[in-house]
Amino acid sequence: MVETTLPEVNQIADYLTSVLGQQLGKELPLKRQGQRGRGNYIALRLNPDLEVGPEAYKIQITRGKVECVAKTPAGLFWAAQTLRQLTYLHAPANQIWLPGGEIQDEPAYKWRGLLLDVSRHFMSKEFIKRYIDLLALYKLNQLHLHLTDDQGWRIEIKKYPALTQKGAWRTEPNGTQHGGFYTQADIREIVAYARARYITVVPEIDAPGHVQAALAAYPELSCTGGPFEVATAAGVHPDILCAGNEKTYAFLKDVLTEVAALFPGQYLHIGGDEAPKERWRVCAKCQGRIRAENLPDEEALQGYFTKRVSDMLTNLHKVPVAWDEVLKGGAPSGTRVQVWHGQKQLKEALQLGLPAITSFRSFFYFDLNSGITNLEKVYQAPVSPSTLSKEEQRLLLGAEAALWTEGVPQERVDEMVFPRLLAFSENVWHGKTTQPDLFADFHRRLQQHYPYLDKVGVDYGFETWPVQFVPTYTPASQTFALSLQPGLQNVSLYYSLNGSEPTLSSQKYEGNPILFSTSTTVKVAPYKNGKKLGETAKASFEKHLALYKRAGLKYGYHPVYAAGGEMALTDGILGGEDYRKGFWQGVEKENLEATLDLEKEIPLQEISIAFLQDVNSWIFLPTKVAFYVAGSDQVFKEVPVATAGQSGKTEKPYRLVFSAQGKGKPVRYVKVVAVNRRVCPPGHPGAGGAAYIMADELIVK
């Protein structure tokens, strides 16, 4: 029953009747104001005099009646989602039984969002609408669409047709073509669909960096004139929009005018992240602009650029949102800052009086492996850090999770987003997640919720590492004993020890440790209901003389990149080229200095340790590696280092082994010192930010 004539509330009633009817498998009658209702019923009622927030609601369940009351239609819509959550496991044709009682609820934050990167991998219009429905169920109210980047331009701009004719398509290294875009009619349909579910779609047109797709279509907007192709590789590309060229600003004004007309929400995201300045430093037009505007450097030139773009949005009655890099050159007043680097940048934005959105990479980036950014971490991450003052807290709009899709096509989106989105939605709704018992309660409820995700076809992934390898080593028998832990309940693990790909015909892990006594590569495939879930996990074990000897670290490892903890450098597991697999141990800004006691003198033949470089993840090779050895007298002497290969400037991750020869001399203690460059170098998108060293197994032979 609807106790109002407002169109918005009638629309919510139609929506609720439809979704509950679908769950029950039968049509439910709808009575509007002035029509008499009989039997059990749900009443929707507005009360603008309620002394609550705009999205608050109250549900009272008594015999034969469920009454939903809110101050605004948005509150009533969230009440409808709560009713859906109370009833979604009822089978078709079943009656719904609800316990009597009262619910009073409202969100802690007004910005509760998810970013979908549709540039790197295009997602269909119907897929986007499906995600809008999922966001609505979990009471998230912002969908941030990352529409443009180096790998594709995804929105039709009528004045610049080449943006989609050329910029929306790329040819992959294997010769296949990937692409797609949304017509303006598609965008209107998506926006209307979201608006009916009280979700605002926030478009992002990234500038001045991440514009390779736009430059492929209009190379004259660059500093060099091109030519360019739509990028296939992830990372940060040096060619960005020319800030000294007036054609750039005319282009952006035209584009933003068309975009603003398609999105009725107040916000429009202008990017601003990862814009390398190397082209600007040698561009005559950019240098001329710096002189004409009396700017001190290229960072200030980006500040000038951001101010001009922000003014365009102000004239279009839009509020600019930008990534936290815009703080370096000066963010215009009124800008909403989306903070992804960390608490330092959040504090800086808020102290400038700029409203901010928390999107910390280390907590809320769902492109990171579910082991690094696991379910519990997402749930307990503070949206509002305790270091903020009350005034700063008032400026904090809320939080947004992000799925960047460089390596995530549409068919893998579910497994990256779920179940972590459930932890995020609860975190940002009530903002009280730091108590351990709250997560335990959430985790218990989540297990009961998985059948619903199965029912509606959400191909969710893991809560933590897909497979956690827990090895031990027995020196007496020189045997590894490997235990496996799946990252999701009700998952079966199948494994091989001979390098073959595990299948349902392979050995099934039954809980007993897997034993092996030689250097071995173990492959493990998770299966759920007979279907493979995610990728095959792999761990290579190297047998050597320092296994499970404690490598004392002078400086602690970063808790996010702990790998195997205190034994990570001697547990026998070798890391590959992906730090996200959890086998690399990371040190932030400090040197890696580890000392190993072999417990007795041995004739040393070789020491080696591997380090990782992944510049796009702020991970760099040490600037220097030194080995020292000592006998029982603990008098250390340096031994010469030989590297297997040389470091390079490639953006692709790679592993480099450093080694030293022992020549059979008796040694008890081994020390390795790897010098951290401490901060990202000039020209890097994270220039001045903390640099990481990632270390692998410390091997003694």
Side-chain angles (χ1 to χ4, degrees):
M1 178 181 292
V2 184
E3 299 183 5
T4 180
T5 58
L6 281 178
E8 297 96 325
V9 180
N10 281 303
Q11 186 181 47
I12 294 169
D14 289 334
Y15 169 86
L16 183 58
T17 301
S18 173
V19 294
L20 292 183
Q22 289 172 14
Q23 287 174 203
L24 290 172
K26 61 184 179 182
E27 187 175 345
L28 298 179
L30 175 61
K31 303 291 185 181
R32 305 191 188 276
Q33 187 171 32
Q35 298 175 322
R36 295 184 63 185
R38 289 183 297 178
N40 300 337
Y41 66 95
I42 299 170
L44 303 181
R45 183 164 60 87
L46 286 181
N47 182 354
D49 296 326
L50 288 177
E51 294 184 359
V52 295
E55 294 183 277
Y57 64 88
K58 177 180 176 181
I59 299 176
Q60 190 163 23
I61 304 171
T62 56
R63 184 179 297 275
K65 180 181 179 181
V66 177
E67 184 178 40
C68 303
V69 184
K71 189 173 185 176
T72 68
L76 275 183
F77 186 77
W78 303 132
Q81 303 313 312
T82 295
L83 290 180
R84 289 182 67 195
Q85 292 175 9
L86 289 171
T87 61
Y88 48 45
L89 288 182
H90 288 268
N94 276 2
Q95 289 182 319
I96 295 175
W97 294 90
L98 298 177
E102 185 176 290
I103 300 170
Q104 295 187 57
D105 198 14
E106 67 178 305
Y109 300 98
K110 62 182 180 181
W111 189 296
R112 307 180 303 279
L114 173 70
L115 179 150
L116 288 179
D117 172 13
V118 297
S119 170
R120 274 56 177 267
H121 278 93
F122 180 68
M123 301 176 200
S124 72
K125 177 180 65 177
E126 293 307 317
F127 187 84
I128 296 296
K129 290 167 70 175
R130 172 177 175 262
Y131 257 80
I132 289 169
D133 281 325
L134 290 168
L135 296 187
L137 177 59
Y138 302 111
K139 303 188 180 82
L140 298 175
N141 64 354
Q142 306 286 334
L143 174 60
H144 176 171
L145 290 182
H146 185 74
L147 291 165
T148 69
D149 213 294
D150 298 304
Q151 289 79 21
W153 185 284
R154 304 293 177 215
I155 182 171
E156 177 189 22
I157 303 297
K158 293 186 180 298
K159 193 165 185 177
Y160 296 92
L163 287 172
T164 47
Q165 290 171 352
K166 183 168 185 178
W169 309 93
R170 67 175 183 261
T171 301
E172 302 286 18
N174 64 5
T176 62
Q177 191 175 63
H178 177 85
F181 65 93
Y182 308 106
T183 67
Q184 294 198 357
D186 290 335
I187 292 294
R188 292 189 186 95
E189 183 179 340
I190 289 169
V191 168
Y193 194 84
R195 199 171 190 181
R197 288 151 182 78
Y198 291 84
I199 292 171
T200 299
V201 182
V202 179
E204 180 177 355
I205 306 298
D206 209 342
H210 288 292
V211 290
Q212 196 89 359
L215 296 182
Y218 296 98
E220 65 271 19
L221 301 176
S222 71
C223 292
T224 65
F228 305 99
E229 295 294 329
V230 179
T232 58
V236 180
H237 297 268
D239 288 289
I240 65 177
L241 293 174
C242 180
N245 189 347
E246 279 303 310
K247 288 184 180 179
T248 295
Y249 301 101
F251 167 80
L252 288 172
K253 183 179 178 181
D254 292 337
V255 167
L256 294 176
T257 298
E258 291 194 34
V259 171
L262 295 170
F263 294 88
Q266 68 180 124
Y267 299 108
L268 202 158
H269 205 300
I270 57 174
D273 61 311
E274 297 181 327
K277 309 300 188 296
E278 54 197 89
R279 297 288 188 259
W280 286 3
R281 291 189 185 97
V282 295
C283 172
K285 290 180 180 178
C286 289
Q287 292 302 308
R289 181 77 66 179
I290 287 175
R291 291 190 296 272
E293 299 295 333
N294 196 27
L295 302 173
D297 55 24
E298 287 76 22
E299 288 296 345
L301 180 58
Q302 183 168 349
Y304 165 86
F305 178 95
T306 304
K307 175 68 166 58
R308 286 194 62 172
V309 176
S310 296
D311 288 344
M312 295 175 196
L313 293 185
T314 300
N315 292 333
L316 294 167
H317 308 290
K318 298 292 181 183
V319 176
V321 186
W323 297 104
D324 61 45
E325 281 95 332
V326 298
L327 296 171
K328 296 178 182 178
S333 62
T335 303
R336 273 49 173 171
V337 180
Q338 189 163 3
V339 178
W340 68 283
H341 279 97
Q343 293 191 21
K344 177 184 175 184
Q345 288 77 12
L346 177 63
K347 190 83 172 175
E348 182 182 351
L350 296 175
Q351 287 180 340
L352 291 170
L354 300 174
I357 303 147
T358 300
S359 288
F360 295 152
R361 181 177 188 271
S362 56
F363 295 134
F364 297 146
Y365 270 29
F366 291 167
D367 53 302
L368 294 180
N369 183 292
S370 58
I372 291 176
T373 308
N374 62 45
L375 187 76
E376 184 171 6
K377 186 177 179 183
V378 174
Y379 188 87
Q380 295 187 334
V383 173
S384 176
S386 58
T387 55
L388 301 184
S389 67
K390 289 185 178 180
E391 178 58 34
E392 289 165 348
Q393 289 174 3
R394 280 193 287 270
L395 286 170
L396 185 61
L397 300 176
E400 185 174 287
L403 178 65
W404 301 101
T405 61
E406 287 93 334
V408 184
Q410 178 177 296
E411 59 269 22
R412 289 195 58 216
V413 170
D414 278 8
E415 71 180 77
M416 301 302 291
V417 171
F418 286 91
R420 291 181 289 181
L421 185 72
L422 307 181
F424 173 80
S425 66
E426 190 160 310
N427 181 344
V428 76
W429 180 268
H430 63 60
K432 300 175 182 177
T433 54
T434 56
Q435 302 171 31
D437 57 331
L438 286 178
F439 176 74
D441 178 64
F442 165 79
H443 192 256
R444 175 188 58 79
R445 289 183 281 110
L446 176 62
Q447 307 315 306
Q448 300 170 344
H449 186 68
Y450 281 131
Y452 176 74
L453 295 181
D454 292 329
K455 181 179 178 181
V456 298
V458 173
D459 293 325
Y460 52 89
F462 297 93
E463 297 176 0
T464 181
W465 297 112
V467 179
Q468 187 170 355
F469 295 86
V470 186
T472 57
Y473 182 74
T474 305
S477 62
Q478 298 187 356
T479 302
F480 285 101
L482 176 64
S483 296
L484 305 175
Q485 296 176 359
L488 193 66
Q489 294 182 14
N490 302 320
V491 165
S492 299
L493 303 178
Y494 294 83
Y495 68 90
S496 70
L497 301 178
N498 60 5
S500 64
E501 184 68 19
T503 67
L504 289 171
S505 301
S506 302
Q507 186 72 33
K508 183 178 180 181
Y509 180 70
E510 300 288 1
N512 296 319
I514 302 168
L515 305 178
F516 50 94
S517 56
T518 60
S519 296
T520 300
T521 295
V522 182
K523 291 185 176 181
V524 185
Y527 279 82
K528 179 186 173 187
N529 298 328
K531 179 183 177 183
K532 188 177 178 185
L533 187 62
E535 300 176 349
T536 297
K538 182 177 77 171
S540 295
F541 291 83
E542 178 79 10
K543 193 170 180 180
H544 60 91
L545 297 175
L547 281 170
Y548 282 84
K549 299 293 191 290
R550 191 175 303 277
L553 294 176
K554 184 175 181 179
Y555 306 104
Y557 50 79
H558 194 286
V560 174
Y561 309 111
E566 292 184 347
M567 295 299 181
L569 296 182
T570 58
D571 62 5
I573 304 179
L574 304 183
E577 294 181 344
D578 188 349
Y579 74 97
R580 297 170 297 184
K581 301 295 185 185
F583 301 140
W584 290 92
Q585 190 164 82
V587 181
E588 182 184 25
K589 293 191 87 170
E590 301 290 352
N591 297 337
L592 179 126
E593 185 170 330
T595 304
L596 192 67
D597 182 359
L598 299 173
E599 299 177 356
K600 63 179 182 181
E601 291 189 350
I602 63 166
L604 179 68
Q605 299 301 325
E606 184 182 56
I607 320 164
S608 65
I609 187 170
F611 293 95
L612 180 71
Q613 178 156 298
D614 185 348
V615 296
N616 289 325
S617 298
W618 282 230
I619 300 167
F620 298 88
L621 291 173
T623 58
K624 179 183 178 182
V625 175
F627 289 107
Y628 303 86
V629 296
S632 297
D633 58 5
Q634 298 191 48
V635 177
F636 283 92
K637 295 182 180 179
E638 186 172 358
V639 291
V641 174
T643 62
Q646 296 295 322
S647 63
K649 294 183 178 180
T650 175
E651 289 189 345
K652 293 183 178 180
Y654 68 96
R655 183 178 188 272
L656 186 63
V657 177
F658 294 78
S659 63
Q661 303 303 309
K663 300 179 180 180
K665 294 181 179 178
V667 165
R668 175 175 173 177
Y669 296 93
V670 173
K671 181 191 293 186
V672 59
V673 178
V675 180
N676 194 332
R677 65 166 59 244
R678 301 195 184 280
V679 297
C680 299
H684 187 272
Y692 288 85
I693 282 180
M694 291 282 181
D696 194 9
E697 192 77 359
L698 180 52
I699 296 174
V700 178
K701 295 182 178 181

